[in-house]
Each structure stands twice: as structure tokens, then as C-alpha cells.
């Protein structure tokens, strides 16, 4: 099996070609890990093309859908093993914000990078994030928001972790339209990102 073809098909958003190649892997009954690695490499290229202006938001959403479909096809060969997981993290849109397109794109790319993403959805209160992190032993928190008022909710999350005595146990990254270096400093987050690929790269660096 030429796994480079899977990488190229993923990067070029060739859905039919990718699913046909994945189908060959499934039929052979072996090579699932190599196929996943090739798709992860392809998704990194998708992220790079988005940052270069070659791909757009719609392309990222499509890439995530293709990746999910291909991963679902490979699941029977993967046996539910977590060995290939890069790590676990919490991802959510913060309280008072109902937008999820950006969050869903980031979720797909983090999953493609090997992360076990615990998606808490939209309009997520700070207390739920802290409680989940504590219960699940999660050390990376990714907060998304589109509205300006989301910045206040992000700060509430940081303060909630401080109040719980857990701030030094977690890394927090914020993302979305209103975030900036200044906002990150004011909120007290560890990092900020405007692009999904930066989020993935940052979370990888924290493992």
C-alpha cells in the first residue's frame, strides 16, 4: 500500500480517492496506523494551505468531514486503542457564545493530530470546564469564542481554575475572532491562536 497517496488525497481534499484508498486498507486488514499517520500529515498540509490563503474556512470544514468519515471506516482495524493518542484536552465554546463552526474545525484537526478531544459544546460555563478537568485529569484547555463578550467568559474560566487551586496544573489556549496578544494577557491564558494549525502546534508543544 502506498500510504503517500493517502497523504496527498487528504491534502488535496479528494474525498472519493481517499475513501477508496482507506477501503483498500480495510480490505487488507492491516496498515490502519500508517493510514492514520498519512491522513494526519495530509491534515497538517490542509492547515498550512489555509494559513497561506490557498484554502478557506469551507475547505477546513470539508477536510474535517472527510477525515471523520475515513477514521470511522478504519475504526474496526484500530481496536479502540489509545496508544496513538497524542493526549487529552478539553475544547469548548465559552459561556454566552453559541458559535461552533470554528470550534468544530479545531476539533477535527486536533483529532487528526492524534488528540482525544473532550468537546463540551457551546455556551459552556466556567464551573463545568473546571469540574470536567478535575474529574478527567485533563491538563490542556482550549477555549473558543466569536463574540467580544466571550473574552469575559474566557477570563472567568481562568479565574475559576485559580479559585480551584488548579491554575498551575493546566495550560489554557484561547481562540476566535476577538482574541489577540493583548486579550490573552488580560485574560491570563497561556497562549492564543487565530488559526486551527497554531492551536494544534501549541497543544502538541505542551505535551
Amino acid at each position: 500500500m502506498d500510504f503517500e497517496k493517502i497523504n496527498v488525497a487528504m491534502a488535496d481534499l479528494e474525498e472519493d480517492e481517499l475513501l477508496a484508498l482507506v477501503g483498500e486498507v480495510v480490505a487488507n486488514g492491516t496498515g490502519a496506523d500508517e493510514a492514520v499517520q498519512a491522513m494526519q500529515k495530509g491534515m497538517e498540509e490542509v492547515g498550512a494551505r489555509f494559513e497561506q490563503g490557498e484554502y478557506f474556512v469551507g475547505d477546513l470544514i470539508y477536510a474535517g468531514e472527510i477525515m471523520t468519515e475515513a477514521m470511522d471506516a478504519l475504526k474496526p482495524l484500530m481496536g479502540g486503542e489509545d496508544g496513538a493518542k497524542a493526549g487529552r484536552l478539553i475544547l469548548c465554546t465559552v459561556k454566552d457564545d453559541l458559535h461552533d463552526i470554528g470550534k468544530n474545525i479545531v476539533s477535527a484537526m486536533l483529532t487528526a493530530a492524534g488528540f482525544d478531544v473532550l468537546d463540551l459544546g457551546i455556551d459552556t460555563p466556567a464551573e463545568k470546564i473546571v469540574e470536567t478537568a478535575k474529574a478527567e485529569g485533563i491538563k490542556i484547555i482550549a477555549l473558543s469564542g466569536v463574540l467580544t463578550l466571550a473574552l469575559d467568559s474566557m477570563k472567568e474560566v481562568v479565574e475559576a481554575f485559580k479559585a480551584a487551586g488548579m491554575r498551575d496544573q493546566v495550560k489554557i489556549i484561547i481562540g476566535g475572532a476577538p482574541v489577540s496578544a493583548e486579550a490573552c494577557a488580560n485574560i491570563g491564558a497561556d497562549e492564543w491562536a487565530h488559526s486551527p494549525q497554531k492551536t494544534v502546534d501549541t497543544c502538541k508543544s505542551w505535551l
Side-chain angles (χ1 to χ4, degrees), residues 89-93 106 110 140-144 171-175 199 203:
L89 57 79
I90 286 172
L91 173 66
C92 65
T93 300
V106 171
L110 284 165
I140 298 177
I141 315 296
L143 306 175
S144 175
K171 290 285 192 178
I172 300 174
I173 183 168
I174 59 173
T199 302
C203 291

Side-chain angles (χ1 to χ4, degrees), residues 89-129:
L89 57 79
I90 286 172
L91 173 66
C92 65
T93 300
V94 293
K95 184 167 67 72
D96 298 327
D97 198 322
L98 306 178
H99 293 84
D100 67 354
I101 291 178
K103 173 183 70 64
N104 292 344
I105 292 171
V106 171
S107 179
M109 293 187 67
L110 284 165
T111 300
F115 282 91
D116 183 3
V117 179
L118 187 52
D119 190 338
L120 299 184
I122 60 175
D123 193 22
T124 311
E127 298 76 20
K128 182 176 181 180
I129 299 169

Side-chain angles (χ1 to χ4, degrees), residues 83-202:
K85 293 292 184 184
R88 302 184 73 209
L89 57 79
I90 286 172
L91 173 66
C92 65
T93 300
V94 293
K95 184 167 67 72
D96 298 327
D97 198 322
L98 306 178
H99 293 84
D100 67 354
I101 291 178
K103 173 183 70 64
N104 292 344
I105 292 171
V106 171
S107 179
M109 293 187 67
L110 284 165
T111 300
F115 282 91
D116 183 3
V117 179
L118 187 52
D119 190 338
L120 299 184
I122 60 175
D123 193 22
T124 311
E127 298 76 20
K128 182 176 181 180
I129 299 169
V130 173
E131 288 170 4
T132 304
K134 187 174 184 179
E136 300 289 336
I138 294 176
K139 306 299 184 186
I140 298 177
I141 315 296
L143 306 175
S144 175
V146 172
L147 305 176
T148 302
L149 55 78
L151 298 178
D152 291 334
S153 296
M154 290 174 178
K155 188 164 187 175
E156 287 177 13
V157 174
V158 173
E159 294 301 321
F161 273 107
K162 287 181 180 177
M166 295 170 62
R167 182 62 188 92
D168 61 345
Q169 299 170 24
V170 297
K171 290 285 192 178
I172 300 174
I173 183 168
I174 59 173
V179 305
S180 63
E182 183 180 358
C184 182
N186 181 56
I187 289 166
D190 296 290
E191 187 56 274
W192 65 283
H194 269 167
S195 75
Q197 192 58 51
K198 183 182 176 184
T199 302
V200 172
D201 293 342
T202 299

Side-chain angles (χ1 to χ4, degrees), residues 13 46 50 55-66 101 105:
L13 305 180
V46 169
F50 174 74
Y55 281 172
F56 301 96
V57 171
D59 297 309
L60 289 183
I61 295 172
Y62 185 47
E65 292 172 348
I66 296 172
I101 291 178
I105 292 171

